[in-house]
Amino acid sequence: MTREKAAMAVNAMKAIGVSEQSVTPVLKKLLKLYDKNWSLIEDENYRVLADAIFECQDIEVEQEKKSKEAPSHEELDGPPLKRLRLRKQGEASLSGATSFSKPNVEEANHALSYPCKERAEPLSSSHRGRIDEHEPISFCEKGKQKQPVSPHVLCSRDNMEPSQLHFGDKRLDHELTSPQTCSRGKGPIFSSQTSLRQETEHQSLAPFRDSTVESNAVLSQSHLRAEEMETGSGTAHRAKGSRRVCLKEPKVEPGILLVPKQKMLHPRENNGLMSPKTEPFADDYPPFEVPIAVMRPPSPGQTCNEDPVQKEACSTENYGETNGHEPLASEDKHDSVPDRACETGSSLELTNVTETPTSFEIASSPLGDVKISLSCNQASGRPDFQIPNLDAVLKAVEDKCLRSHKVLEPNFSLMKVMQEMCQCFLELGTESTNSTQESFVHITSDLNFLKKSSLRNAFGAKGDHQGNFRMPESLSAESLNLHSSDKLVSPGSPKTLLLNGPDSHLNESGSGSSSSERNTEANERNTEANDPNSNLRSLVIFQPQDSTVDEVRPIHDVYDISKGEERVSISLVNEVSSELYPPSFFYIPRNLSYQSAYVNVSLARIGDEDCCSNCFGNCLSSSIPCACARETGGEFAYTVEGLVKEKFLDECISMYRDPRPERHYYCKKCPLERFNDPCKGHLVRKFIKECWSKCGCSKRCGNRVVQRGIACSLQVFLTSEGKGWGLRTLQDLPRGTFVCEYVGEILTNTELYERNLRSTGNEKHTYPVLLDADWGSESSLKDEEALCLDATYYGNVARFINHRCYDATMVEIPVEVETPDRHYYHLAFFTTRDVYALEELTWDYGIDFKDHKHPVKAFRCFCGSKCCRDMKRSNRTKSKR
Ligand SMILES: C[S@@+](CC[C@H](N)C(=O)[O-])C[C@H]1O[C@@H](n2cnc3c(N)ncnc32)[C@H](O)[C@@H]1O
């Protein structure tokens, strides 16, 4: 048994490019450490093992580097593993193999930072070949497109180029050798859509003919456990050790700061892109795992100057920030002596100041009647502290603002901001005579001027849907106070503003805090390490506003259109036009019932045969598949890597690509046919059934993929082919990867019909999808019972997914999670092939472009597929002439 498990572990590691040689010793150690508890090792696709191996490798490299300078402090063989970095396994498992080309994410980043300036030309030629099969089609029908969609139509998959499929995976071989079909779809396939528009035609509700409201969009994903894509280097990106796990209760040692589980990434690691969010599975860690992050101060010889941010951290004694690169506690403890960490006299102009002024003037209003100064408490236990050169400080903070807070204004000047702050303070102060009498002003109550600041967004302050500004949560009364000292109270005399942040050593109070207190405070700061807003604790910045900007409420957060609803951030870029944003919509990560849709979610309805209450841990690691595998023929649909199994995926894809009539269910009285026209058929689809709340397994069970949400890096972008906004991946995705679920309002057909009647008909894009995958098992479904999802007003990132005829990069698979009857289910998208970073993610809506009677005209298809069904129609039209 052990041998078998070991072989499986070795295989799993091989799949991510780790040799058996590297696996075995680490595996042995882990087994010892875990008391041979295999399930802990197998969990999350051997995440712990992968982490330990990578950690070992890192340490080896580190040690090699350091061996000449100093003896290494820690190795896996010596002291027991203290921390295993929780590398983003998604990267390992999702990228599948090291042979993936490096995603050109830098360009996406760049595009994000400078949205409209230039268009990224990201891919290598081979890569590009794969993507750019979209030649705009010039002979398609003109006019407005309004038609729902549904998958099918058959064609060749000739755009799979062997040279591009170099994963060494037999699945690919299969993909390449599978017979190419180019038959034309017979039979109705999925014609449903919005027949709801009263006319005689039936229209399948599979997503989209264009019919309702203008587009908006959204999305999300999953496993990105606190890691990041490395940009700027030629090496394949690899998750950085943004998080670590103590296998045993960590010992807090001097200089080692334990940080709460969440927010461990330093903002600057995010590169402005898909910053991983807080760890959603933290609760699932076995109790002995204590995720922590540690910031290691610079190693001996390294000065803070090398990195302005690091320098700033040092100069403010802010040891709490984690940079995500630094690994082990033992290293930390050796290097954590602050005196050594920050050397003065560096190229960053640290100035030795022999005197120790108690305050540090930064800026003043034009007449000098208001001043901003930082008060530095010399008694705070840092005798080595030297007042740094102001220019260097300003430069460091400006750099930080530009990089970490995405202040896009290249001429951004902190000094100017400070001066404006003085001015505002003066203005606000003189508006209220009372306020000048106060010696202590809570800035949170007086910061109305921030409402006008365009910088508020750059610094994380958010507006709500009504356009109301609200202060960032991190900016509380205690965290930021504007002081005017007593001696400045009298009107007319110069005033000094003291910015008190959480940094105790900058406290005006001057009370020295003990080292343990500082540690606690630093811990608190660390919790904010990943929060750009946290900087507001010690600094408030505003700029005079362009009133036109103030009036326009930003309708999307381009750094995360999900507004924090997903586990990963989903950025939005426009590299091609001046159309700034997609139209507004509400981002929801899960389906919500609009009004009458009846979705019966109740534990009582889930029988023993529909759950696995006796399971524990990961159902996929059990030798006998549990009850939850029953619906998929006694075998789980997912592999241990979290991908949909080859066979299952092949069958799902072929259903769409070869939608024979026998694969359809034909209603006697189809709810979609409002005028008793014959049913056009509903594809009877294969379902995945996931474990759920009534199951005994953990949330990290391998049979829970879709319910964990988006895990890959996605981006909404404006397509250049005229399809509007689209969705693309920022990382390589192996075949069978879960990308996202289609989320929207759950409507009955009646409701959708009424909604469509109310629509103006001028909408550019439509977003309804019919949930008809299991209609075959329902006896005579009534109109008001048939359900669909409409992402027009409320939806997730899937609403941006464009259509591609036949060879789309994704296929939708119905997934049963909380309701056993399949009347309601989740519609999840999985990749149909290996998809490279920056490729567009598409699915075949199943639109019947030949259906000229459809009340809603199909959009003119610009999918660029060689099997474009709209293209053929146009060809025929041409030849008839
Ligand atoms: C679900 S939306 C997709 C996102 C949409 N592009 C947007 O900007 O919001 C469906 C709409 O996108 C457009 N669309 C999708 N695929 C297309 C294609 N292959 N060619 C042209 N337009 C397409 C159509 O207007 C369609 O109604």
Side-chain angles (χ1 to χ4, degrees):
M1 189 60 171
T2 303
R3 191 177 287 272
E4 253 171 48
K5 283 181 177 290
M8 280 171 70
V10 167
N11 284 343
M13 291 303 100
K14 271 188 189 163
I16 59 171
V18 180
S19 70
E20 182 171 354
Q21 220 178 356
S22 310
V23 178
T24 317
V26 180
L27 185 57
K28 277 184 189 163
K29 282 181 209 309
L30 281 182
L31 278 172
K32 204 168 154 200
L33 201 62
Y34 284 140
D35 243 359
K36 300 206 173 144
N37 185 341
W38 273 97
S39 69
L40 295 171
I41 294 170
E42 291 163 343
D43 254 7
E44 285 271 307
N45 302 335
Y46 300 94
R47 172 184 219 102
V48 170
L49 179 57
D51 286 343
I53 293 168
F54 287 135
E55 197 66 52
C56 266
Q57 290 171 351
D58 280 356
I59 291 167
E60 276 164 21
V61 172
E62 185 95 351
Q63 280 175 346
E64 244 173 65
K65 256 169 57 184
K66 286 184 179 171
S67 59
K68 285 175 193 165
E69 303 165 16
S72 60
H73 303 304
E74 178 174 344
E75 54 186 40
L76 281 174
D77 288 332
L81 285 174
K82 283 201 172 182
R83 299 184 185 114
L84 293 179
R85 179 185 299 184
L86 278 186
R87 263 168 228 287
K88 174 181 202 163
Q89 178 158 7
E91 163 208 48
S93 63
L94 290 181
S95 60
T98 49
S99 55
F100 264 125
S101 64
K102 181 185 184 300
N104 200 336
V105 179
E106 297 100 299
E107 296 189 43
N109 268 329
H110 181 74
L112 179 60
S113 304
Y114 303 96
C116 298
K117 285 193 177 156
E118 58 189 77
R119 179 170 175 205
E121 286 294 335
L123 304 172
S124 67
S125 54
S126 65
H127 191 170
R128 192 179 289 132
R130 217 170 164 168
I131 298 170
D132 293 347
E133 297 159 6
H134 320 248
E135 295 292 325
I137 302 161
S138 56
F139 39 88
C140 292
E141 184 181 334
K142 269 192 195 164
K144 216 154 142 219
Q145 334 146 354
K146 303 258 161 183
Q147 229 181 17
V149 188
S150 70
H152 342 108
V153 178
L154 340 161
C155 237
S156 71
R157 37 199 325 215
D158 47 6
N159 58 351
M160 299 288 281
E161 293 173 20
S163 64
Q164 296 159 342
L165 303 173
H166 50 281
F167 295 89
D169 185 336
K170 68 179 183 188
R171 290 178 301 168
L172 291 174
D173 298 338
H174 173 84
E175 179 102 15
L176 290 171
T177 53
S178 55
Q180 301 195 345
T181 51
C182 201
S183 56
R184 170 91 53 95
K186 303 171 185 174
I189 301 196
F190 199 23
S191 48
S192 20
Q193 291 189 358
T194 27
S195 59
L196 315 172
R197 277 214 178 210
Q198 101 228 34
E199 349 303 349
T200 43
E201 286 301 308
H202 127 110
Q203 298 289 346
S204 85
L205 280 185
F208 335 48
R209 292 186 177 233
D210 287 329
S211 63
T212 348
V213 191
E214 287 215 319
S215 74
N216 298 320
V218 181
L219 264 232
S220 81
Q221 176 273 7
S222 72
H223 294 288
L224 289 189
R225 301 215 152 209
E227 321 163 331
E228 293 213 276
M229 288 191 174
E230 235 173 86
T231 59
S233 81
T235 57
H237 69 279
R238 178 174 156 180
K240 294 183 181 177
S242 48
R243 144 182 346 203
R244 292 133 222 268
V245 171
C246 263
L247 296 180
K248 296 197 171 151
E249 193 63 40
K251 221 167 91 186
V252 181
E253 292 165 315
I256 301 171
L257 305 175
L258 301 187
V259 185
K261 297 173 186 177
Q262 302 184 340
K263 298 184 178 178
M264 292 171 187
L265 271 186
H266 189 286
R268 71 200 153 106
E269 286 197 1
N270 291 340
N271 295 322
L273 266 183
M274 314 299 299
S275 39
K277 295 181 180 170
T278 55
E279 176 47 52
F281 298 141
D283 291 340
D284 296 320
Y285 290 137
F288 53 84
E289 293 182 339
V290 182
I292 60 166
V294 176
M295 180 222 179
R296 189 182 61 178
S299 51
Q302 179 195 353
T303 65
C304 304
N305 326 328
E306 290 160 44
D307 178 336
V309 179
Q310 176 75 9
K311 171 181 171 254
E312 179 190 282
C314 292
S315 68
T316 58
E317 205 180 25
N318 183 6
Y319 296 116
E321 285 183 294
T322 169
N323 64 11
H325 296 271
E326 315 311 328
L328 300 173
S330 61
E331 291 175 295
D332 297 350
K333 72 185 167 195
H334 288 279
D335 294 340
S336 61
V337 184
D339 313 36
R340 263 189 347 189
C342 282
E343 294 175 5
T344 56
S346 70
S347 58
L348 257 189
E349 305 171 48
L350 286 183
T351 307
N352 288 322
V353 178
T354 46
E355 299 148 25
T356 51
T358 52
S359 71
F360 185 61
E361 186 177 319
I362 298 176
S364 64
S365 60
L367 296 176
D369 35 7
V370 177
K371 289 186 190 303
I372 292 180
S373 64
L374 285 175
S375 176
C376 178
N377 172 26
Q378 291 300 294
S380 66
R382 292 296 305 265
D384 59 319
F385 178 76
Q386 309 275 338
I387 297 287
N389 176 286
L390 175 59
D391 288 343
V393 173
L394 291 173
K395 169 94 176 45
V397 180
E398 282 161 12
D399 282 352
K400 188 171 183 176
C401 288
L402 288 167
R403 287 185 301 144
S404 302
H405 305 293
K406 329 298 184 300
V407 176
L408 299 180
E409 169 57 61
N411 297 321
F412 172 72
S413 153
L414 190 59
M415 184 56 93
K416 209 170 145 223
V417 171
M418 290 291 186
Q419 283 162 354
E420 284 162 354
M421 187 169 182
C422 289
Q423 186 59 37
C424 266
F425 186 75
L426 188 61
E427 284 168 16
L428 287 171
T430 49
E431 272 167 20
S432 155
T433 49
N434 286 339
S435 64
T436 60
Q437 301 306 313
E438 290 171 0
S439 61
F440 192 87
V441 181
H442 286 276
I443 201 165
T444 43
S445 57
D446 280 15
L447 272 182
N448 286 329
F449 55 82
L450 261 182
K451 292 182 181 176
K452 297 181 180 172
S453 172
S454 60
L455 277 179
R456 67 186 185 231
N457 291 315
F459 284 82
K462 292 180 178 172
D464 63 16
H465 294 301
Q466 282 70 49
N468 296 323
F469 170 74
R470 64 176 186 270
M471 295 294 291
E473 282 159 21
S474 59
L475 189 58
S476 63
E478 320 94 71
S479 67
L480 181 63
N481 296 304
L482 258 185
H483 291 210
S484 66
S485 61
D486 289 337
K487 61 183 177 188
L488 304 174
V489 169
S490 63
S493 64
K495 294 177 171 49
T496 299
L497 304 186
L498 302 177
L499 291 176
N500 271 12
D503 299 319
S504 60
H505 62 290
L506 291 179
N507 262 340
E508 187 194 24
S509 68
S511 61
S513 50
S514 70
S515 136
S516 65
E517 279 168 342
R518 284 201 307 279
N519 274 353
T520 309
E521 288 159 3
N523 274 345
E524 282 162 11
R525 289 198 298 277
N526 275 344
T527 64
E528 305 298 332
N530 197 26
D531 184 356
N533 299 341
S534 63
N535 293 277
L536 284 167
R537 285 178 178 271
S538 54
L539 197 61
V540 170
I541 299 180
F542 67 96
Q543 262 189 348
Q545 287 314 297
D546 174 349
S547 59
T548 55
V549 174
D550 293 341
E551 259 104 62
V552 182
R553 177 173 67 93
I555 54 178
H556 293 287
D557 175 352
V558 294
Y559 300 103
D560 183 9
I561 58 162
S562 85
K563 295 178 182 163
E565 291 283 2
E566 302 287 3
R567 295 169 57 191
V568 292
S569 301
I570 300 164
S571 58
L572 181 144
V573 296
N574 177 351
E575 303 148 313
V576 298
S577 86
S578 57
E579 181 189 347
L580 279 184
Y581 300 115
S584 177
F585 70 96
F586 289 93
Y587 195 101
I588 52 170
R590 280 170 296 279
N591 295 325
L592 292 176
S593 181
Y594 163 61
Q595 192 172 9
S596 315
Y598 179 64
V599 179
N600 189 349
V601 178
S602 70
L603 292 171
R605 292 179 70 224
I606 302 173
D608 289 345
E609 67 286 3
D610 290 319
C611 67
C612 57
S613 46
N614 293 327
C615 278
F616 184 81
N618 182 0
C619 293
L620 264 56
S621 51
S622 159
S623 50
I624 305 165
C626 65
C628 292
R630 191 176 47 86
E631 302 209 30
T632 35
E635 223 188 285
F636 288 107
Y638 300 121
T639 66
V640 289
E641 290 84 21
L643 308 175
V644 172
K645 284 184 180 159
E646 290 292 316
K647 192 164 160 263
F648 192 91
L649 189 62
D650 287 342
E651 286 173 27
C652 292
I653 296 170
S654 81
M655 278 188 180
Y656 294 107
R657 296 190 179 171
D658 182 14
R660 284 170 261 150
E662 60 268 27
R663 286 181 165 162
H664 289 77
Y665 165 74
Y666 296 90
C667 314
K668 286 193 186 96
K669 189 167 180 296
C670 183
L672 298 184
E673 303 305 329
R674 307 190 78 82
F675 295 91
N676 291 328
D677 278 4
C679 172
K680 293 190 176 164
H682 308 275
L683 194 58
V684 178
R685 291 186 275 177
K686 282 178 76 72
F687 272 69
I688 290 174
K689 189 227 177 289
E690 294 199 347
C691 293
W692 194 55
S693 299
K694 222 174 164 179
C695 299
C697 54
S698 93
K699 182 141 191 217
R700 289 188 292 157
C701 162
N703 192 36
R704 297 169 183 245
V705 173
V706 172
Q707 63 192 267
R708 289 206 291 249
I710 297 172
C712 44
S713 296
L714 303 174
Q715 186 173 62
V716 174
F717 71 110
L718 192 61
T719 64
S720 54
E721 301 92 351
K723 297 180 290 188
W725 296 86
L727 182 68
R728 66 187 175 192
T729 172
L730 293 179
Q731 69 182 93
D732 297 329
L733 302 174
R735 183 176 197 246
T737 303
F738 166 65
V739 174
C740 66
E741 177 183 343
Y742 193 93
V743 169
E745 287 176 271
I746 313 167
L747 263 61
T748 64
N749 273 5
T750 313
E751 285 170 335
L752 182 63
Y753 173 66
E754 286 162 0
R755 188 173 272 192
N756 283 343
L757 285 181
R758 286 196 302 270
S759 79
T760 63
N762 292 326
E763 297 79 9
K764 236 160 115 186
H765 306 290
T766 57
Y767 306 88
V769 180
L770 186 66
L771 296 180
D772 64 349
D774 197 43
W775 278 13
S777 68
E778 313 229 8
S779 54
S780 69
L781 202 66
K782 292 197 195 102
D783 199 17
E784 61 274 19
E785 291 164 350
L787 299 182
C788 62
L789 300 175
D790 184 7
T792 307
Y793 308 111
Y794 293 81
N796 75 342
V797 73
R799 70 195 297 285
F800 291 106
I801 303 172
N802 284 317
H803 158 85
R804 184 171 171 95
C805 297
Y806 189 72
D807 57 359
T809 47
M810 297 189 298
V811 62
E812 80 274 27
I813 301 179
V815 181
E816 175 190 324
V817 180
E818 60 283 82
T819 55
D821 66 7
R822 296 178 171 182
H823 178 64
Y824 165 76
Y825 55 85
H826 299 264
L827 197 62
F829 295 104
F830 296 86
T831 51
T832 55
R833 60 170 169 84
D834 299 322
V835 182
Y836 285 82
L838 295 180
E839 276 198 84
E840 181 170 3
L841 294 162
T842 54
W843 65 297
D844 189 335
Y845 295 175
I847 292 181
D848 182 0
F849 289 96
K850 301 189 300 286
D851 186 357
H852 303 296
K853 288 194 210 155
H854 197 290
V856 183
K857 219 171 173 184
F859 53 83
R860 179 179 168 188
C861 185
F862 294 124
C863 74
S865 167
K866 287 175 187 162
C867 303
C868 178
R869 305 194 286 274
D870 196 23
M871 185 170 69
K872 287 179 178 166
R873 178 180 62 175
S874 302
N875 277 334
R876 280 198 308 279
T877 312
K878 269 186 184 173
S879 59
K880 275 186 193 163
R881 283 183 191 149

